[in-house]
Amino acid sequence: TCPRAAAGEAMTDDVRNPYSPPLATTPTVLAEASRPAAKRPISAWILMAFLAVTTLSTIVPALRMGWALASGTRQATSALGMIGWLAWVVGFSTLLVATILAIHRARPWSRWVGLALIVAFAAVGLLRTDTDQYPNDGQRAGAAIAKWVVLPALFVWWAWAFAFTAKSRAYFT
């Protein structure tokens, strides 16, 4: 019993049943439950596919190298070098798979990790040395335009669509 009620005083609004839910959270929870989930943006699908291909292209050569070393068809020149290379492959592949799963589950932090990976892929694409031999100046100019104009424009669009559009912000929140 309430001490005020026992003394004959009137019950006020500040005395509530301790077993009733808080008033402020009930409508919010109901509103969030009734809101439909945001659809995954196409830029997220593209990044997940790109990361899956990159993961496979990292794991398959590692497995082939391991098989060659285990079967004795190839000798390791440095055991420490092989351990370092294996640690790099396992760590990089784990990062890529964890990012794919996080994007699929719409974790808020995966938006920024995905953006960092897009920027890293853009940097690799732009900063790599071009060792191709072109038969004429027209092809060389076309390759330069593709590398310095088209590729950066595509990466900027992809990064913007992945991290900053309203659809992606709704998906990752």
Side-chain angles (χ1 to χ4, degrees), residues 57-58 104 111 144 168 171:
S57 66
T58 303
H104 184 26
R111 174 178 165 198
S168 68
Y171 176 70

Side-chain angles (χ1 to χ4, degrees), residues 40 44 47-48 51 95 97-118 162-163 168 171-173:
R40 187 174 297 124
L47 182 60
M48 288 191 303
L51 292 177
L95 170 73
V97 169
T99 304
I100 291 169
L101 292 174
I103 291 170
H104 184 26
R105 295 177 181 161
R107 301 287 191 249
W109 57 267
S110 65
R111 174 178 165 198
W112 303 112
V113 172
L115 179 64
L117 286 173
I118 291 172
F162 181 79
S168 68
Y171 176 70
F172 287 112
T173 54

Side-chain angles (χ1 to χ4, degrees), residues 36-50:
K39 290 179 69 175
R40 187 174 297 124
I42 188 70
S43 57
W45 283 108
I46 293 170
L47 182 60
M48 288 191 303
F50 194 74

